[in-house]
Amino acid sequence: MPYIIGCDIGTTNVKSVAFDTVSGAILASHSESYEMQHPRPEWSEQDPEEIFQAACKTLKKVTVKCKGHGDPVGICFSAAMHGVLALDKDGKRLTNLIIWADNRSADVATKLRASQVGKKIYHNNGTPIHAMTPVCKLLWMKENAPDIYRKTSKFVGVKEYIVYRLTGEFVVDYSIASATGMFNIRELRWDEYTLKKLGLKAEKLPEAVSPYHIVRLPGDNPAKLPEGTPLIMGASDGCLANLGSGAIRHGSMAVTIGTSAAVRICAAKPFSDPLMQTFCYVLDEKTYIIGGPSNNGAVIFEWLMNTFFPKESYDAVFKEAERVKAGAEGLLFYPYLLGERAPLWSSSVRGGFSGLDITHTRAHFARAVMEGILLNLYSIAKILMEMQEIDTIYANGGFARSATWVQMLSDVFGKTVKLNETVETGAVGAAMMGLKALGVVKEFSELTAFTQVGQAFASHNDIHEQYDALAVKFRKGAQLMMAHAV
């Protein structure tokens, strides 16, 4: 049976998944992991060659597993956003891949965000000014590594590097480009105003193309895949998580909690927030994804487990937390252990507990941490809910394995939460986009088999009312945390 491969290039691993083109069934998958490097405080990098080899390995493994089904009809990519890699005129790297988690440009971002120039850059391009964004990374490089900045022939992200290594072409899809802070989301081209402020020529960036753009593999490609195999550019992991979960209709919202987290809705028009709290990224030429990302997702619960429950299982701690009433009997947690992106956009803000008294137990701390992560996401969602009436949330990410946490999400947001049958929503979204690019379908609505829902959780109105009141207190406390930020 014909199959398509969705290749999802994430922060900690790359996974290739083969889907039956009709039923959406997963025929095979393979994942390869890699590490972050932290050569200096606040620096977060990765070896692009390691990621490239991992991608090639997953693609080869999956095609071997699907040998009985013939060759793939195409390969479409999902990829993490905000990475910067400097290449010389021969395509050799001058730096490691500087990833989204890198904070070396925090001071640059703070100054730019407070300026009129920063505000115009945000409103043109839709990406909030923060150390995560390539525009801030490049400003930092221009000031602190001018020799590399001058020598660079191309600045690319991880997906563009992989496509270049496979095909020799420097192209970037609108979706990934729109997350750089340098791409005009209304004109769908590199933003002249921003590039002028950077002193950067458009020739030093890849050609911006549609997410449906197809490049065909040459015969001698490093992945040893069949000559002529269509590579579809695809989009960013965040945008494709919306598509792959089914959250692209008006009235639906996607909530992803993996290592980091995000809340996103779909819109037909671009939007920039007057307070610069939300992003607006391009899914395709007619579809925009609006939302906010958080640094502090399940990584914060992992910190809790490692620090206070090193010998306990996750399920045991979830059961303990479930026995505590909503609101953790006054214990409130601000999850800003890694600084924060939306809605605060501060690399220096830090978190903590409030309302602690002698009656609180470790179960209260577990419950408060789970609630704090969700209350922060709810503060992002409230901004989006002012734009669009939401009836359903599609949840995905590692946290979705805990029914306790998903029910808590439903109660905090006051909405029905649906879980997809697969957690591979990025790869699913990539496969769906690839099938549309290849002309197998005309509309995503023809691919409902790819976005099946496995379970639904209904909100308890009385508990939501408690959380809604608590959310007001949480937002006030978050501003106090900001006041203490360095």
Side-chain angles (χ1 to χ4, degrees):
M1 57 185 73
Y3 71 96
I4 188 167
I5 297 176
C7 181
D8 189 12
I9 308 156
T11 303
T12 57
N13 67 81
V14 57
K15 176 173 279 190
S16 290
V17 185
F19 299 90
D20 177 87
T21 59
V22 177
S23 70
I26 294 176
L27 303 178
S29 68
H30 187 77
S31 176
E32 292 285 332
S33 61
Y34 32 81
E35 300 293 328
M36 287 189 202
Q37 301 172 16
H38 305 285
R40 298 186 191 179
E42 303 295 337
W43 289 31
S44 295
E45 301 180 346
Q46 289 178 314
D47 181 348
E49 182 63 24
E50 186 178 4
I51 299 174
F52 173 69
Q53 294 299 334
C56 289
K57 188 172 182 179
T58 65
L59 291 169
K60 283 187 281 189
K61 288 278 189 181
V62 167
T63 52
V64 168
K65 290 178 182 179
C66 292
K67 193 172 182 180
H69 301 290
D71 295 333
V73 298
I75 298 166
C76 189
F77 292 101
S78 164
M81 296 172 275
H82 312 306
V84 170
L85 170 64
L87 303 175
D88 67 14
K89 60 182 178 60
D90 298 316
K92 305 297 183 183
R93 68 188 193 191
L94 297 171
T95 64
N96 270 336
L97 177 69
I98 306 171
I99 66 171
W100 65 269
D102 190 279
N103 274 325
R104 74 185 71 179
S105 63
D107 290 343
V108 171
T110 299
K111 292 176 184 175
L112 182 62
R113 185 175 176 83
S115 70
Q116 290 303 313
V117 170
K119 290 179 174 61
K120 184 170 177 59
I121 288 174
Y122 165 72
H123 289 296
N124 283 3
N125 306 323
T127 303
I129 305 298
H130 184 267
M132 71 173 185
T133 57
V135 66
C136 292
K137 292 179 171 76
L138 292 183
L139 280 170
W140 181 93
M141 190 181 295
K142 184 179 181 183
E143 295 175 9
N144 295 276
D147 288 345
I148 291 176
Y149 192 81
R150 284 194 301 269
K151 289 178 183 177
T152 298
S153 177
K154 292 288 184 189
F155 291 107
V156 299
V158 65
K159 187 205 290 189
E160 300 83 81
Y161 180 69
I162 289 171
V163 171
Y164 165 70
R165 290 290 305 277
L166 289 173
T167 69
E169 294 191 25
F170 281 115
V171 287
V172 60
D173 61 80
Y174 296 156
S175 183
I176 290 290
S178 69
T180 65
M182 300 181 289
F183 187 78
N184 193 299
I185 57 175
R186 293 166 182 83
E187 299 174 0
L188 297 182
R189 61 188 178 91
W190 296 113
D191 187 58
E192 292 180 6
Y193 177 84
T194 305
L195 296 191
K196 185 176 181 180
K197 294 299 178 183
L198 280 167
L200 184 67
K201 294 181 179 179
E203 291 75 25
K204 287 199 171 187
L205 299 170
E207 179 190 357
V209 297
S210 167
Y212 301 108
H213 182 77
I214 295 173
V215 183
R216 294 193 177 271
L217 277 172
D220 58 348
N221 66 85
K224 295 181 171 55
L225 295 171
E227 182 177 3
T229 299
L231 294 188
I232 301 98
M233 288 302 297
S236 68
D237 53 1
C239 290
L240 287 174
N242 268 61
L243 176 59
S245 67
I248 58 166
R249 67 170 179 82
H250 190 88
S252 64
M253 174 182 284
V255 174
T256 303
I257 306 180
T259 303
S260 57
V263 182
R264 302 176 300 271
I265 62 172
C266 180
K269 296 180 180 179
F271 169 81
S272 57
D273 177 56
L275 299 178
M276 299 194 294
Q277 297 172 100
T278 58
F279 60 65
C280 181
Y281 299 145
V282 177
L283 172 62
D284 63 20
E285 292 86 341
K286 297 180 180 179
T287 314
Y288 295 83
I289 302 297
I290 302 168
S294 169
N295 288 352
N296 301 287
V299 67
I300 303 304
F301 196 81
E302 184 179 354
W303 161 81
L304 177 85
M305 292 291 295
N306 292 338
T307 307
F308 298 106
F309 301 92
K311 296 182 180 180
E312 302 286 345
S313 70
Y314 278 76
D315 285 342
V317 176
F318 288 140
K319 287 179 181 177
E320 282 196 47
E322 192 174 10
R323 290 193 287 268
V324 177
K325 293 180 180 178
E329 296 187 276
L331 185 61
L332 189 57
F333 176 62
Y334 300 91
Y336 309 126
L337 306 192
L338 295 168
E340 189 50 291
R341 288 180 287 171
L344 304 179
W345 297 103
S346 170
S347 297
S348 57
V349 69
R350 289 297 180 267
F353 291 89
S354 68
L356 174 63
D357 66 40
I358 202 166
T359 66
H360 288 133
T361 66
R362 69 177 199 169
H364 290 85
F365 279 85
R367 176 111 196 174
V369 167
M370 295 167 73
E371 290 178 338
I373 293 167
L374 295 177
L375 285 167
N376 185 56
L377 295 177
Y378 186 49
S379 65
I380 302 168
K382 292 282 278 187
I383 301 168
L384 304 180
M385 288 175 181
E386 291 176 1
M387 300 170 51
Q388 191 177 120
E389 182 69 30
I390 301 299
D391 54 54
T392 304
I393 292 170
Y394 292 87
N396 48 73
F399 96 111
R401 297 185 180 93
S402 165
T404 300
W405 211 349
V406 177
Q407 182 60 59
M408 198 181 293
L409 168 67
S410 179
D411 291 335
V412 170
F413 282 58
K415 306 294 179 184
T416 297
V417 174
K418 295 183 178 180
L419 298 183
N420 297 101
E421 287 189 343
T422 175
V423 297
E424 309 298 346
T425 51
V428 170
M432 293 171 69
M433 180 162 271
L435 291 174
K436 186 175 179 180
L438 293 167
V440 176
V441 297
K442 291 184 177 180
E443 302 295 339
F444 292 129
S445 58
E446 299 173 52
L447 296 170
T448 54
F450 283 74
T451 56
Q452 294 297 309
V453 171
Q455 194 174 1
F457 295 74
S459 172
H460 300 98
N461 291 335
D462 55 336
I463 298 177
H464 171 64
E465 289 177 3
Q466 295 177 49
Y467 278 131
D468 210 32
L470 187 60
V472 176
K473 184 177 180 181
F474 178 88
R475 288 193 292 273
K476 290 179 179 177
Q479 291 306 312
L480 290 174
M481 294 292 181
M482 280 289 289
H484 290 290
V486 177

